[in-house]
Amino acid sequence: MARSTVVIAAVVLAFLVAVPVPEVTAKKYLVGDKKFWNPNVNYAAWVQGKHFYLGDWLYFVFYRDQHNILEVSKADYERCISDHPLRNYTRGAGRDIVPLNETRAYYLLDGRGGCFHGMKLSVTVETPPPPPPPM
């Protein structure tokens, strides 16, 4: 019985070594970096040069009694209207995430007045590029 277990383990190990497993590369983005989710931060500049891929997520840090994270339509985003959000990502801790689980544009803003002071973020989520060919 012990010999068959060793043989099975060797076969499984050989399979795992021979079959390349694609690397999971989901990234966590701290929104605003060290400035976090606060008024008077240029989030359009923060987004520049970043690529957001399916499976990534946005991590928001903020004062929970002063701000929130709402997803809104593009039209509401442009006018800082938060009356009818598509989704509220705020969970109350001031340490909240937005999972980027669809390839599309996300329009996020602070619905407690911060949007009028720059607290709005638009990201477009893309399909990840194919992995490099094996060598």
Side-chain angles (χ1 to χ4, degrees):
M1 178 101 79
R3 184 178 177 119
S4 64
T5 303
V6 170
V7 170
I8 292 171
V11 169
V12 169
L13 180 61
F15 176 77
L16 291 175
V17 170
V19 177
V21 178
E23 188 176 321
V24 177
T25 59
K27 275 181 91 170
K28 174 185 83 170
Y29 290 93
L30 176 58
V31 174
D33 296 322
K34 292 181 182 177
K35 294 180 181 179
F36 306 115
W37 186 234
N38 283 301
N40 305 312
V41 175
N42 187 340
Y43 293 102
W46 178 80
V47 167
Q48 291 297 315
K50 292 179 176 63
H51 291 277
F52 300 94
Y53 296 114
L54 191 64
D56 290 348
W57 47 288
L58 303 173
Y59 180 53
F60 289 80
V61 177
F62 57 95
Y63 291 109
R64 65 183 180 183
D65 58 336
Q66 296 177 13
H67 305 294
N68 61 15
I69 308 159
L70 304 178
E71 182 176 2
V72 297
S73 69
K74 181 178 181 180
D76 287 350
Y77 173 84
E78 290 169 351
R79 291 179 272 151
C80 286
I81 296 172
S82 61
D83 295 344
H84 38 83
L86 302 174
R87 183 155 182 192
N88 183 348
Y89 287 100
T90 312
R91 298 290 166 250
R95 308 283 183 273
D96 294 319
I97 64 166
V98 173
L100 303 176
N101 51 18
E102 293 180 48
T103 52
R104 62 179 177 86
Y106 288 75
Y107 300 99
L108 306 163
L109 57 77
D110 172 49
R112 294 185 177 165
C115 183
F116 295 104
H117 300 282
M119 292 180 72
K120 58 193 239 178
L121 174 67
S122 170
V123 300
T124 300
V125 178
E126 308 169 64
T127 302
M135 294 184 182

